[in-house]
Amino acid sequence: MSQFAGLSDISISEDIPVEGDISVPVGSQNPDDDFSTLDEPVKDTILRDLRAVGQKFVHVLYPKKSSALLKDWDLWGPLLLCVTLALMLQGGSADSGEDGRPQFAEVFVIIWFGSVIITLNSKLLGGTISFFQSLCVLGYCILPLTVAMIVCRIVLLGALSSVSFVVRLIVVTASFSWSTFASTAFLADSQPANRKALVVYPVFLFYFVIGWMILTFSPSP
Amino acid sequence: MCKTMSASQGSTNTNTEPWGSFEDNNIIQGSGSAVIDMENMDDTSGSSFEDMGEMHQRMKEEEEVTAEAAAIHPERLSHMRVLIYLVSTQVWQAGKQQASKAFNLYANIDILRPYFDVEPNQVRNRLIESLIPVRMINFPQKVAGELYGPMMLVFTMVAILLHGMKTSGTVIREGTLMGTAIGTCFGYWLGVSSFIYFLAYLCNAQITMLQMLSLLGYGLFGHCMVLFITYNVHFHSLFYILWLVIGGLSTLRMVAVLISRTVGQTPRLFLCGTLAALHMLFLLYLHFAYHKMVEGILDTLEGPNIPPIQRVARDVPVVASAVVNATIKSIAAVVQSQ
């Protein structure tokens, strides 16, 4: 045992008891916690998710530099907004596509396909944001355009005149620039400084197309 | 260096080597057999060191799972529940590993990353240069191989086309407006690029597919400008002037680049003639396909056949439409008499 010769100096004096607990570091949850959210009533789950979605809506309407949208992303809000917008752009006419009105599937596909393209583009340009975070941000920032759609529908309940067109134009332009500004506030931080314009342009185009679809919407006679 | 495995669930492996020795990899857990099972060989990974790393990682995860299970007080859970937990965790981890491996192999967007490595001022310069034909055709002109600019131009053209289709009241019966616009623009960009690349291969031109995609994509900048102006300002003479000038400039630019990369008169003529024809005719088609005044031609030439794309009659000034219809009818009569 020559290799242990050097260790003979080290000794633990026997009057100090060595005691303690050795615990294997476990993951912070045991299986009981995994199942605990299944036992809660459905109302709690729905309310919790709705509260999270509502909180993110507030963050979109007042775009400060907060990371709530990014840290715990979820896709419920975008789905809600997308479905609402698509249903409202559908109009009451049962005859699909008779006068060039976008169909439900068209709006849905444009929003999700456009978001995926913008996300891929921002990732390819060297962004640090993850795929679903970017989808979450782009989806939530459709909120001002949905609000504009509701306003346009209300305005169109009146006469279809040039005044109503000007009002709708102003509302849609304002909400489209709000959407672009809000999503830029979240997305552009993750890009290198000199490439922000390259990321902002597709976002601008995306919200422009959606805003244009809202502006050219006319109800069925 | 044989390792013996106990034939129970949740057995632990005693590795004497830090990287995990060879025999541990392919022994099915719980079977107690020392035979290497080739089904478990991972044939999608490259080097064997990756395999070692993955196997080691997998065994560490299994050890963690069993350590978690062991740390749970046995009197709170029955053995069945431990079993279920272990099995489900292992299935989840195996599935996650397979999915992440497949994802990294097939959905690796890093392949495209070098083609998006541009600065905004580079994009702006290339956009402006796409309308300036080069003069030196004696040595090959440099073509930037990037895809950001072309893709953004194609999407812009989709948006402009959508606007044009909407204002002209085009009704698409079998399909959607957006689908048609996207199909037209992407079909042109990808299809004509591939076709010209194939012709370039036949004519021995020195151009790669990426360069052709990039060249044609930037050539769409002229188209975007002309369509943006003429979908909003409806004067035929203005369109023809813009078609010749701007369309012509962007075609000349592409043609000059191709000429500089091709040797021989006949290949040059063939290749550049085809590209010029396709590019100019595409702009002509885009203008007239979604234009208000085309009803006259349709009524005269098509007759009872109803095409898939229909137009809704719009209110145009009576005099102008009468003049146009008369002109078109006379042209149709001349054509039919020949």
Side-chain angles (χ1 to χ4, degrees):
Chain A
M1 298 283 206
S2 60
Q3 61 261 45
F4 294 125
L7 298 176
S8 57
D9 303 324
I10 300 170
S11 64
I12 300 172
S13 78
E14 282 155 2
D15 45 35
I16 299 177
V18 176
E19 63 181 36
D21 289 59
I22 296 179
S23 60
V24 178
V26 182
S28 55
Q29 350 157 272
N30 51 15
D32 269 354
D33 280 345
D34 279 340
F35 301 125
S36 62
T37 61
L38 278 180
D39 293 338
E40 66 179 11
V42 173
K43 184 170 73 88
D44 283 354
T45 313
I46 292 181
L47 279 179
R48 191 179 61 226
D49 285 336
L50 277 178
R51 222 172 285 132
V53 166
Q55 195 190 19
K56 292 202 186 71
F57 279 167
V58 170
H59 275 290
V60 166
L61 287 177
Y62 300 105
K64 304 186 286 283
K65 299 273 184 198
S66 76
S67 55
L69 247 79
L70 292 181
K71 260 200 223 130
D72 26 79
W73 55 269
D74 75 271
L75 294 177
W76 283 115
L79 182 68
L80 223 70
L81 288 172
C82 178
V83 167
T84 314
L85 199 59
L87 281 175
M88 283 199 290
L89 275 173
Q90 180 80 9
S93 157
D95 208 352
S96 62
E98 187 49 62
D99 46 350
R101 191 176 298 143
Q103 303 173 13
F104 180 91
E106 224 175 329
V107 178
F108 208 82
V109 162
I110 289 174
I111 292 180
W112 288 105
F113 184 64
S115 305
V116 166
I117 295 281
I118 297 175
T119 307
L120 282 179
N121 178 56
S122 80
K123 280 189 84 69
L124 283 170
L125 284 171
T128 56
I129 202 172
S130 93
F131 183 74
F132 285 111
Q133 281 174 342
S134 172
L135 277 187
C136 168
V137 166
L138 286 168
Y140 270 105
C141 290
I142 295 180
L143 178 67
L145 283 167
T146 313
V147 168
M149 180 74 213
I150 297 174
V151 170
C152 282
R153 283 306 285 262
I154 295 174
V155 166
L156 280 171
L157 286 177
L160 191 73
S161 69
S162 61
V163 173
S164 83
F165 178 73
V166 168
V167 167
R168 280 186 297 138
L169 180 68
I170 294 175
V171 166
V172 167
T173 312
S175 65
F176 140 75
S177 23
W178 194 351
S179 286
T180 312
F181 172 69
S183 68
T184 315
F186 292 114
L187 282 181
D189 279 345
S190 64
Q191 291 291 329
N194 52 345
R195 292 195 184 174
K196 287 201 198 316
L198 296 182
V199 176
V200 168
Y201 178 68
V203 174
F204 165 85
L205 201 59
F206 175 62
Y207 289 129
F208 184 78
V209 168
I210 297 180
W212 171 85
M213 278 199 298
I214 291 174
L215 188 60
T216 57
F217 171 77
S218 58
S220 54
Chain B
M1 280 204 301
C2 287
K3 299 280 174 293
T4 54
M5 300 264 301
S6 57
S8 65
Q9 300 273 359
S11 60
T12 56
N13 304 318
T14 56
N15 302 328
T16 56
E17 278 83 12
W19 44 268
S21 55
F22 286 94
E23 281 85 347
D24 289 333
N25 303 331
N26 301 312
I27 297 173
I28 302 171
Q29 179 121 18
S31 71
S33 129
V35 173
I36 296 177
D37 192 343
M38 293 303 285
E39 282 176 351
N40 286 349
M41 283 290 261
D42 185 0
D43 53 351
T44 58
S45 64
S47 73
S48 57
F49 283 110
E50 280 176 64
D51 279 340
M52 294 310 120
E54 280 170 8
M55 295 302 150
H56 188 58
Q57 176 69 21
R58 195 179 294 179
M59 283 185 299
K60 266 177 67 173
E61 281 169 349
E62 287 168 3
E63 285 175 16
E64 281 167 16
V65 164
T66 49
E68 275 180 23
I72 298 162
H73 291 292
E75 59 264 21
R76 284 178 64 191
L77 297 170
S78 65
H79 290 295
M80 275 302 289
R81 213 160 166 184
V82 172
L83 235 75
I84 291 171
Y85 175 66
L86 283 177
V87 168
S88 63
T89 322
Q90 282 178 359
V91 165
W92 166 250
Q93 278 175 348
K96 199 168 72 159
Q97 274 165 0
Q98 284 290 94
S100 68
K101 242 184 288 199
F103 184 74
N104 285 339
L105 198 64
Y106 295 115
N108 202 4
I109 62 167
D110 283 334
I111 308 170
L112 293 175
R113 204 178 277 273
Y115 307 139
F116 282 77
D117 194 11
V118 288
E119 307 290 317
N121 55 344
Q122 276 180 327
V123 175
R124 193 193 62 225
N125 291 342
R126 285 173 192 164
L127 282 175
I128 297 175
E129 276 169 11
S130 75
L131 290 176
I132 304 175
V134 291
R135 300 196 143 248
M136 310 280 293
I137 57 173
N138 293 323
F139 63 90
Q141 292 295 319
K142 198 168 76 73
V143 181
E146 67 149 301
L147 288 177
Y148 173 81
M151 278 203 54
M152 289 304 125
L153 279 170
V154 172
F155 280 119
T156 311
M157 202 159 89
V158 168
I160 295 175
L161 211 62
L162 212 62
H163 171 64
M165 289 202 282
K166 207 52 162 53
T167 53
S168 75
T170 304
V171 172
I172 312 273
R173 284 206 176 271
E174 277 117 34
T176 60
L177 226 62
M178 192 72 188
T180 312
I182 290 184
T184 309
C185 296
F186 268 97
Y188 176 75
W189 183 46
L190 296 172
V192 172
S193 288
S194 319
F195 180 62
I196 300 288
Y197 176 66
F198 167 68
L199 287 184
Y201 169 74
L202 290 181
C203 299
N204 257 338
Q206 303 294 321
I207 196 162
T208 66
M209 181 67 185
L210 175 71
Q211 287 172 330
M212 194 59 225
L213 280 172
S214 181
L215 195 63
L216 194 66
Y218 275 113
L220 288 175
F221 177 56
H223 281 25
C224 282
M225 281 193 348
V226 174
L227 290 174
F228 183 66
I229 297 173
T230 55
Y231 277 153
N232 294 316
V233 179
H234 296 279
F235 289 120
H236 265 310
S237 46
L238 177 69
F239 168 71
Y240 283 123
I241 292 172
L242 286 177
W243 177 61
L244 281 175
V245 172
I246 299 185
L249 278 177
S250 87
T251 312
L252 273 177
R253 154 113 187 141
M254 293 198 298
V255 156
V257 169
L258 278 181
I259 284 182
S260 74
R261 286 169 170 260
T262 317
V263 178
Q265 287 292 89
T266 315
R268 279 178 174 181
L269 191 65
F270 179 54
L271 192 61
C272 300
T274 319
L275 180 61
L278 284 171
H279 203 62
M280 298 293 274
L281 287 177
F282 184 58
L283 184 54
L284 210 63
Y285 164 72
L286 282 181
H287 178 79
F288 282 112
Y290 307 113
H291 196 268
K292 289 185 202 173
M293 305 287 265
V294 184
E295 285 89 25
I297 295 180
L298 276 190
D299 289 340
T300 319
L301 295 180
E302 301 272 354
N305 297 330
I306 301 178
I309 297 180
Q310 290 201 336
R311 276 92 178 152
V312 175
R314 311 289 270 171
D315 294 330
V316 293
V318 176
V319 173
S321 72
V323 167
V324 170
N325 277 345
T327 322
I328 291 167
K329 281 192 177 99
S330 60
I331 294 174
V334 167
V335 166
Q336 276 168 0
S337 68
Q338 284 179 350

